[in-house]
Amino acid sequence: MKVINLGETRSALGNIVAQIRDRKVQKDSLRFRFNLERLGQIFAYEISKTLEYSPKEVETPLATASVLTTDSKVVAATILRAGLPIHKGIMDVFDNAESAFIAAYRKYHKGDEFHIAIEYCTCPNLSGKTLILADSMIATGASMEIAYNKLIDEGGDPVVTHFVSPVSSVYAIEYLQKRLPENTCLWTAAVDEELTSQSYIIPGIGDAGDLAFGAKVNL
C-alpha cells in the first residue's frame, strides 16, 4: 500500500486541518462538517490526477472543443457515520460516481478490548472500477481493513482502491501496509504518533461522528 500525506505539502489544506483539530472551532458542527467536505474535495481532486483520460469532442455554442475527460468508473464508499461529510466532498468532484456505504463500529468488551462489528453494507459492482473508501480517521486500521474486505466480498475486485483519511496514526499505517494489496493507496493529511490505551489518536481530532452529527447513546 502506497501512502501519500498531503499535509507534508504547503497548501491551504493545512488551514483546514488546523480548523478540524481546533477544539474551539469544533464547537460549530456546521463548520466541522463543511471542513470535512472540503478535505474530501481536495483528496478527490488529487486522486483524479491518477485516473485514465482521453480526448472528447464537445460542441460549444460557437464551435467544437477537444477536452480531456476521464474514462475511469469511480465508486465512492464511506464508513458510516463520520465519513459522510468526506463522501459528500468526493461526490462533489466525481459527480457521476456510484456510491457504497458500510456501517462499522467498535463493539467493546471488558476493559478496553473491542472488535469491529459490521451491521450494514450496500455496494455496487466494483469489478474494473476505481474504489475510493473514506473515513474521518484511522486509529488502528482495523475498521478500514474490515470495511475494505467486506466491500470486496460484496462487489468484486476493483482495479485500484484509494483510502481517504484526513488523520491517520502511524500504527494504522503500518498495520494496513502489512495487510492490504499493492493496488491500494492511502491519502491522508496528518499522521499522528500516539494512541491511547483505548486506541484513540493523540493529538487527533476527538470523536468526528459526534462533532459532525451530535453525541450518540453508547449501547
Side-chain angles (χ1 to χ4, degrees), residues 59-111:
E59 293 292 335
T60 79
L62 301 178
T64 301
S66 180
V67 183
L68 284 176
T69 61
T70 181
D71 302 310
S72 301
K73 295 182 179 180
V74 176
V75 176
T78 193
I79 299 176
L80 302 175
R81 63 181 169 151
L84 283 172
I86 305 170
H87 178 267
K88 168 66 166 53
I90 293 171
M91 292 295 292
D92 286 344
V93 175
F94 295 112
D95 51 300
N96 292 321
E98 298 174 279
S99 288
F101 300 94
I102 187 164
Y105 67 98
R106 293 180 180 183
K107 185 71 172 179
Y108 282 93
H109 309 292
K110 291 182 179 180

Side-chain angles (χ1 to χ4, degrees), residues 25-69:
V25 180
Q26 287 179 345
K27 294 179 181 179
D28 185 344
S29 59
L30 175 61
R31 173 156 289 279
F32 186 80
R33 292 194 302 272
F34 179 60
N35 281 329
L36 289 180
E37 286 183 24
R38 291 200 291 168
L39 290 176
Q41 292 169 354
I42 292 171
F43 283 120
Y45 175 74
E46 294 297 326
I47 290 171
S48 74
K49 298 177 183 179
T50 71
L51 304 180
E52 297 293 328
Y53 289 81
S54 63
K56 178 182 179 181
E57 298 299 311
V58 179
E59 293 292 335
T60 79
L62 301 178
T64 301
S66 180
V67 183
L68 284 176
T69 61

Side-chain angles (χ1 to χ4, degrees), residues 3-179:
V3 179
I4 298 177
N5 182 3
L6 296 181
E8 294 177 338
T9 62
R10 295 184 178 184
S11 73
L13 175 140
N15 294 60
I16 303 173
V17 173
Q19 289 188 26
I20 67 168
R21 284 196 190 268
D22 192 314
R23 60 187 301 177
K24 294 180 180 179
V25 180
Q26 287 179 345
K27 294 179 181 179
D28 185 344
S29 59
L30 175 61
R31 173 156 289 279
F32 186 80
R33 292 194 302 272
F34 179 60
N35 281 329
L36 289 180
E37 286 183 24
R38 291 200 291 168
L39 290 176
Q41 292 169 354
I42 292 171
F43 283 120
Y45 175 74
E46 294 297 326
I47 290 171
S48 74
K49 298 177 183 179
T50 71
L51 304 180
E52 297 293 328
Y53 289 81
S54 63
K56 178 182 179 181
E57 298 299 311
V58 179
E59 293 292 335
T60 79
L62 301 178
T64 301
S66 180
V67 183
L68 284 176
T69 61
T70 181
D71 302 310
S72 301
K73 295 182 179 180
V74 176
V75 176
T78 193
I79 299 176
L80 302 175
R81 63 181 169 151
L84 283 172
I86 305 170
H87 178 267
K88 168 66 166 53
I90 293 171
M91 292 295 292
D92 286 344
V93 175
F94 295 112
D95 51 300
N96 292 321
E98 298 174 279
S99 288
F101 300 94
I102 187 164
Y105 67 98
R106 293 180 180 183
K107 185 71 172 179
Y108 282 93
H109 309 292
K110 291 182 179 180
D112 295 331
E113 294 184 3
F114 64 87
H115 74 276
I116 304 301
I118 293 179
E119 292 189 347
Y120 174 82
C121 179
T122 178
C123 180
N125 180 14
L126 299 175
S127 299
K129 300 176 183 178
T130 296
L131 174 63
I132 304 174
L133 175 56
D135 200 4
S136 57
M137 294 177 289
I138 52 170
T140 67
S143 293
M144 195 69 90
E145 178 196 18
I146 291 173
Y148 168 75
N149 288 333
K150 179 65 174 178
L151 291 170
I152 298 303
D153 289 342
E154 295 282 337
D157 293 320
V159 174
V160 62
T161 299
H162 298 277
F163 299 95
V164 170
S165 172
V167 179
S168 308
S169 76
V170 170
Y171 177 93
I173 291 174
E174 293 175 350
Y175 176 92
L176 292 174
Q177 284 180 321
K178 294 176 182 177
R179 291 165 172 81

